[in-house]
Amino acid sequence: MFEVFKKEIIELLRDRKTLFFIIALPMLIFPIILGFVAFLTSQASLKAEQQVHTYYIVNTQFSTVFSEEIFYHKSFKKYAGQKQFDSVEQLSEAVKEGIIDVGIFIPNDPKIAIQAGKQSQWQIVFNDAKAINFIFNRVRSVASKLSNELRTRALKDLGVDIRHQPALLTPITISKVDTADKRENYGEKLGALIPYLLLPLVLMGASYPAIDLGAGEKERGTLETLLLTPVTRSELVLGKFFTVLASSIACTLITVASLAIWVSVASSFVSLEAVKTAFNSVTAWDFILIFSLLLPVAAMLSSLVLAISIYARTFKEAQNYMGPLSMAVFVPIAVSLLPNMELDNVTALIPITNVALAIKEVVKGTVDQGAIALIFIASAALASLLLLSCVRWFKKESVLFR
């Protein structure tokens, strides 16, 4: 078995393409993904923040103060065309046709309405389908300022002292006291995304060498030569398995190390408050624990991809089988993101999902050692079962020579 393992490792180290996917890609993928997402987010936010919107107000005579505030607002410019709009329907059509960006319909004079004990219900017409849209908040901010002034004046006319107005308008105030610290708060959000990066890379680190060690051997005609050597089939498949496992572990180790290094680098040079808060308290032991959680997953996936590769007739057929397997890995990761999905004695037994939840708990700093032990036991048992199945699979003539 050791000689087979040694032979496969030497051949693996000679394959530059596989080395790129195992070593180079994990080291580059984090800065590329984090940098690209941060760049796109900052650019989109900056563009949305600086965008000037064309507006049209129906019945400006009902609130000249508001009209002037909008006119001099840096984010708005008045519609300079010849068309006239008199209703919400016409404003909606103008927005859809791109004539204006926002329409404001003022139905009556708010000063007269408040004297009659009624509300002046304004309508803001705009396209809210964009991911980053400041239109409504900006208009509401200007309108709220006017609304507060009218309310204060009306209450004063009714004899209510200005000092008593806040208590009269809001007799009870509620403040939030969060028992979760910032690491737990941000870790809940960022920790759920880490498995989306780590687990697919673990699969990738196993699949590339596995395809070559199984289907590749068949296609090249070298598998028959290996079967003629004085090595049992169990030793042969175990040698190949440990080669695939070593590749997956190497990819996992490089991935976790890359994550730790690039988060540290990004926190030093980039103002990412959420990332800093979530990862500043993550110790080296936590990263070791994340790596340890990925080990049984690497063993499971190594057994699966090797069995698939052994079954496939050609290199291309094996690659086609890896696609559905990749999707199957994403499903349990997605399950871990479901609302109220937490790590307990039940979820600790669900493959892949348990590791994804545990990684999130590690980042949050709320990891349960008992649940971690249960995950290791369950994952190790499943990995052993899959490896045993792979060994028996390799012994079947109908699989090797199909």
Side-chain angles (χ1 to χ4, degrees):
M1 182 184 71
F2 177 76
E3 291 299 326
V4 175
F5 173 73
K6 180 180 177 181
K7 162 193 169 295
E8 302 294 1
I9 286 292
I10 293 175
E11 292 184 358
L12 182 65
L13 294 175
R14 291 173 180 172
D15 188 352
R16 294 183 179 180
K17 181 180 178 181
T18 302
L19 289 178
F20 172 80
F21 284 104
I22 295 174
I23 299 175
L25 190 58
M27 294 180 66
L28 296 174
I29 195 167
F30 282 110
I32 292 174
I33 291 177
L34 293 176
F36 186 66
V37 171
F39 174 77
L40 289 182
T41 304
S42 63
Q43 290 297 309
S45 299
L46 182 62
K47 183 178 179 180
E49 185 72 30
Q50 295 178 343
Q51 187 174 359
V52 178
H53 306 283
T54 303
Y55 74 92
Y56 187 96
I57 301 177
V58 178
N59 300 326
T60 56
Q61 72 276 9
F62 288 151
S63 183
T64 56
V65 175
F66 173 79
S67 301
E68 290 178 359
E69 287 280 349
I70 292 292
F71 180 80
Y72 289 109
H73 198 288
K74 65 178 182 178
S75 299
F76 296 102
K77 66 178 180 179
K78 190 175 182 179
Y79 170 66
Q82 301 299 320
K83 292 186 177 182
Q84 299 292 322
F85 310 107
D86 300 318
S87 64
V88 174
E89 290 73 19
Q90 291 179 356
L91 291 175
S92 298
E93 289 299 322
V95 171
K96 290 179 181 178
E97 294 174 7
I99 299 174
I100 60 175
D101 296 320
V102 56
I104 304 169
F105 183 79
I106 305 177
N108 50 29
D109 190 331
K111 294 180 182 178
I112 299 175
I114 198 172
Q115 291 174 359
K118 297 180 179 179
Q119 289 181 320
S120 181
Q121 298 181 346
W122 299 9
Q123 292 176 280
I124 313 300
V125 182
F126 69 105
N127 186 346
D128 198 26
K130 297 180 180 179
I132 303 177
N133 204 328
F134 299 107
I135 292 178
F136 183 76
N137 289 335
R138 287 168 176 167
V139 175
R140 183 173 58 180
S141 176
V142 178
S144 296
K145 180 181 177 182
L146 175 62
S147 178
N148 292 336
E149 292 175 356
L150 292 174
R151 182 183 58 198
T152 301
R153 191 179 302 118
L155 290 173
K156 186 177 181 181
D157 292 340
L158 292 173
V160 180
D161 193 294
I162 295 179
R163 293 173 297 177
H164 299 156
Q165 288 184 14
L168 179 65
L169 294 171
T170 312
I172 299 175
T173 60
I174 299 176
S175 60
K176 181 175 68 174
V177 180
D178 192 357
T179 59
D181 55 22
K182 287 187 177 180
R183 174 183 172 180
E184 184 177 350
N185 199 346
Y186 287 119
E188 175 69 26
K189 302 173 181 66
L190 291 176
L193 300 177
I194 299 301
Y196 265 106
L197 298 175
L198 294 180
L199 293 172
L201 286 174
V202 173
L203 175 61
M204 183 186 67
S207 60
Y208 280 98
I211 292 174
D212 185 66
L213 295 181
E217 293 270 18
K218 281 186 177 182
E219 201 168 34
R220 292 190 298 270
T222 55
L223 182 61
E224 290 83 352
T225 305
L226 286 175
L227 294 174
L228 292 174
T229 58
V231 180
T232 64
R233 293 195 178 184
S234 296
E235 293 175 336
L236 188 59
V237 71
L238 286 175
K240 290 180 177 293
F241 166 77
F242 284 114
T243 303
V244 176
L245 180 62
S247 172
S248 183
I249 290 175
C251 187
T252 305
L253 180 60
I254 294 171
T255 300
V256 175
S258 174
L259 174 62
I261 293 171
W262 287 112
V263 165
S264 176
V265 172
S267 299
S268 302
F269 294 97
V270 183
S271 181
L272 298 174
E273 192 62 33
V275 176
K276 288 182 181 180
T277 304
F279 286 99
N280 273 347
S281 301
V282 179
T283 63
W285 170 252
D286 292 326
F287 282 107
I288 293 174
L289 185 58
I290 292 175
F291 171 73
S292 301
L293 286 167
L294 294 174
L295 287 179
V297 178
M300 287 189 290
L301 295 178
S302 296
S303 299
L304 278 174
V305 295
L306 185 58
I308 291 173
S309 180
I310 292 170
Y311 176 77
R313 292 189 182 93
T314 62
F315 195 95
K316 185 176 181 180
E317 183 182 347
Q319 287 181 318
N320 292 335
Y321 290 145
M322 295 303 170
L325 179 61
S326 300
M327 295 300 298
V329 170
F330 275 107
V331 170
I333 300 176
V335 170
S336 68
L337 296 177
L338 293 176
N340 299 324
M341 181 64 69
E342 296 181 356
L343 185 62
D344 52 31
N345 292 337
V346 176
T347 55
L349 299 176
I350 304 175
I352 308 295
T353 299
N354 52 7
V355 175
L357 291 172
I359 291 174
K360 182 173 69 173
E361 294 296 325
V362 171
V363 177
K364 288 170 58 180
T366 57
V367 62
D368 182 4
Q369 300 298 332
I372 293 296
L374 184 58
I375 290 173
F376 274 117
I377 294 173
S379 299
L382 181 57
S384 301
L385 181 62
L386 289 173
L387 178 58
L388 180 62
S389 301
C390 183
V391 172
R392 296 186 64 181
W393 191 250
F394 193 78
K395 292 181 179 180
K396 293 184 177 181
E397 299 288 336
S398 58
V399 172
L400 291 180
F401 304 105
R402 55 185 288 269

